[in-house]
């Protein structure tokens, strides 16, 4: 459980870099995402979760 807070901090840093450095592009990116079909968003999220779990499995 000691890894949870540092991992959360890294996620916040990585997620904050886009809006901090490229706010206009970030806004356009979010507009594009908001217009994607729900199924496509769900599939993308599922793929990202699976990739994350596989990476976590191999790194630990």
């Amino acid at each position: 459980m000691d890894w949870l807070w540092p991992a959360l901090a890294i996620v916040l840093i990585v997620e904050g870099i886009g809006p901090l450095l490229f706010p206009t592009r970030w806004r356009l990116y979010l507009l594009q995402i908001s217009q994607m079909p729900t199924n496509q968003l769900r599939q993308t999220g599922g793929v990202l979760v699976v990739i994350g779990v596989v990476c976590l499995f191999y790194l630990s």
Side-chain angles (χ1 to χ4, degrees):
M1 200 64 165
D2 293 336
W3 54 269
L4 180 63
W5 294 113
L8 181 60
I10 291 170
V11 168
L12 292 173
I13 291 168
V14 170
E15 289 292 327
I17 288 174
L20 177 67
L21 297 178
F22 310 106
T24 304
R25 282 190 189 169
W26 192 258
R27 182 176 287 134
L28 292 174
Y29 174 69
L30 290 177
L31 285 172
Q32 288 176 342
I33 288 177
S34 70
Q35 295 173 357
M36 288 174 63
T38 303
N39 287 338
Q40 189 175 1
L41 282 174
R42 186 171 285 126
Q43 288 175 347
T44 304
V47 168
L48 292 173
V49 167
V50 170
I51 290 171
V53 168
V54 169
C55 289
L56 186 60
F57 177 74
Y58 281 114
L59 292 175
S60 51

